[in-house]
Amino acid sequence: MAPATFVANPSETPQVSKRVTVQALVESTGLASIPSNYSYSSNPNESAASNPDEDTFPIIDFSLLTSADPHQRSKIIQDLDRACREWGFFMLVNHGVSKSLMKQVLEGCNEFFNLPMEEKMEFEGKDIWKPIRFGTGVDVKVEKFFFWRDFLKCYVHPHFNFPNKPKGFSEVAEEYSKRTREVIKELLKGVSESLGFEESYIEKAMNLDSGSQLFAANLYPVCPQPEIAMGIPAHTDHGLLTLLIENDIGGLQIQHNGEWFNVHPLPNSFLVNTGDHLEILSNGRYKSIKHRAVVNNKATRISIAVPLGPSLDKVVSPAPELIGGETGRPAAYLPMTYKDYMERLLEGKPCLDHVRIPVA
């Protein structure tokens, strides 16, 4: 995904000239309107987001999932199953990742995005497999407009890759990546049981010891016209589960039963969503839910998404135990390696629809 290229002059139609991040664009003087190539026309059938009933959005207590009390564990696994089936999103509390570590990694992201342009551009690149990649917007070959965001994407497992600046950020990010990976693997034990398997089923089947983990930090600067810009349009995630934190500035919206809802995470919680490959593995029992990031004209939002997926060479298809037999259900998805899936997805090609087998 190549950075946007234009002169930041709100009084004229932007011309392609030099590399400019959204952050640099916002910090330029006199920005009263956004350049035309950032203007996003939403689907007229898409409704505005509303706030969900506080009693309906799922909350999972991680400490009960790791409880030695079999009754508590059984109940929370049922709650986890319901959250994955009905919402595809839930808030995770009492997860054991320290408040200070979560704060440090958000601060580190802020410091990275505030580095001088030339230092950040050392990590710029179009190659989706580049271990460390900084960028902005999106390649216009993929989309007709640019996203209102800058990003840092690093592959942090099975090999840890990260910028060496700002000082100390890499060490914090490595610890955060390790801890979030542990949390996801524990959640997947519960998911395995909710699908009727033994707890290590998904970990073994998806080769998670060499699983692909991404650290994706997004910066959504203040936008003078948030009603016509978009941080990230509606999409699903490619992995099994994704953990997300933000800097207390709202902006995440999820789709539930055809309607859009704002998400307001509890303090020190993770937002967790099911990804495409959990949908595929569960043969459609769990759905990969669309979500999007909107922007605002008051404060800069930072979010960090950490998806964990299978090993890149793993051919993923519905679990054999969920096909035929007592279920009577045929396979609903074609097999594909995780790497091939990601390459199609990151090149802007529809993928989940590509592997989904139409119902006869």
Side-chain angles (χ1 to χ4, degrees):
M1 296 180 182
T5 54
F6 50 72
V7 174
N9 186 341
S11 65
E12 302 176 1
T13 302
Q15 302 295 319
V16 175
S17 176
K18 63 179 182 178
R19 298 186 187 280
V20 176
T21 64
V22 177
Q23 185 178 23
L25 175 64
V26 170
E27 291 173 353
S28 63
T29 57
L31 183 69
S33 61
I34 67 173
S36 59
N37 46 350
Y38 281 92
S39 180
Y40 172 72
S41 298
S42 61
N43 185 329
N45 295 321
E46 279 188 5
S47 60
S50 59
N51 295 319
D53 186 334
E54 292 182 1
D55 296 329
T56 61
F57 195 84
I59 298 175
I60 300 296
D61 188 331
F62 187 79
S63 66
L64 300 182
L65 189 63
T66 57
S67 170
D69 184 330
H71 176 72
Q72 283 189 330
R73 181 173 169 77
S74 176
K75 183 180 182 306
I76 205 67
I77 286 175
Q78 291 177 25
D79 292 342
L80 186 60
D81 174 68
R82 190 178 306 110
C84 292
R85 277 189 295 109
E86 297 179 1
W87 282 85
F89 263 86
F90 56 88
M91 270 182 267
L92 188 70
V93 298
N94 298 325
H95 44 70
V97 180
S98 70
K99 177 181 178 180
S100 61
L101 180 59
M102 296 168 76
K103 181 181 178 182
Q104 283 179 311
V105 77
L106 283 166
E107 290 174 345
C109 287
N110 187 53
E111 290 177 22
F112 174 84
F113 286 120
N114 283 326
L115 287 173
M117 178 72 77
E118 60 273 16
E119 294 188 34
K120 290 183 290 190
M121 294 308 289
E122 291 176 21
F123 306 106
E124 183 271 336
K126 297 180 181 180
D127 181 5
I128 61 173
W129 297 113
K130 188 177 181 182
I132 305 169
R133 190 158 60 100
F134 168 74
T136 185
V138 69
D139 194 325
V140 290
K141 294 177 183 177
V142 178
E143 296 285 354
K144 296 179 180 178
F145 71 98
F146 292 114
F147 301 165
W148 194 263
R149 63 125 189 201
D150 299 336
F151 66 83
L152 170 67
K153 294 182 178 180
C154 306
Y155 290 102
V156 292
H157 194 264
H159 305 291
F160 182 77
N161 305 279
F162 216 77
N164 56 4
K165 57 188 78 171
K167 184 178 179 181
F169 186 27
S170 177
E171 291 78 6
V172 169
E174 185 169 18
E175 177 63 19
Y176 182 78
S177 300
K178 176 186 174 184
R179 292 290 296 114
T180 51
R181 187 164 62 251
E182 291 170 349
V183 170
I184 293 175
K185 290 173 77 171
E186 196 65 42
L187 284 171
L188 288 173
K189 289 180 181 179
V191 171
S192 291
E193 292 190 52
S194 72
L195 290 172
F197 304 135
E198 52 98 14
E199 67 172 23
S200 62
Y201 181 91
I202 293 178
E203 183 171 355
K204 292 176 181 177
M206 296 292 100
N207 299 340
L208 291 189
D209 283 344
S210 56
S212 176
Q213 184 182 13
L214 184 68
F215 180 104
N218 295 298
L219 179 84
Y220 305 99
V222 171
C223 180
Q225 294 178 292
E227 68 281 357
I228 62 171
M230 182 62 73
I232 304 180
H235 67 285
T236 60
D237 289 352
H238 49 73
L240 294 162
L241 290 176
T242 298
L243 297 191
L244 180 106
I245 60 173
E246 60 173 32
N247 63 336
D248 300 325
I249 306 296
L252 178 68
Q253 297 179 343
I254 68 171
Q255 194 175 57
H256 176 62
N257 292 336
E259 296 184 31
W260 285 100
F261 291 95
N262 297 306
V263 180
H264 304 289
L266 295 170
N268 307 316
S269 68
F270 283 115
L271 281 171
V272 185
N273 66 281
T274 55
D276 295 352
H277 281 75
L278 192 54
E279 175 171 335
I280 294 168
L281 182 68
S282 69
N283 204 28
R285 178 178 177 84
Y286 300 146
K287 299 296 185 182
S288 187
I289 301 300
K290 286 186 177 181
H291 50 289
R292 64 191 183 190
V294 297
V295 294
N296 70 84
N297 58 7
K298 296 181 176 63
T300 294
R301 178 175 180 252
I302 294 177
S303 71
I304 304 172
V306 182
L308 180 64
S311 60
L312 291 177
D313 59 355
K314 178 65 184 176
V315 177
V316 184
S317 59
E321 296 87 346
L322 301 178
I323 300 172
E326 293 181 3
T327 69
R329 186 174 182 195
Y333 306 86
L334 297 168
M336 181 181 285
T337 67
Y338 188 45
K339 183 176 183 181
D340 286 346
Y341 189 98
M342 286 184 66
E343 284 181 339
R344 283 186 59 87
L345 187 69
L346 297 175
E347 287 171 1
K349 300 173 183 176
C351 207
L352 191 57
D353 289 341
H354 177 76
V355 299
R356 187 182 285 117
I357 300 173
V359 178

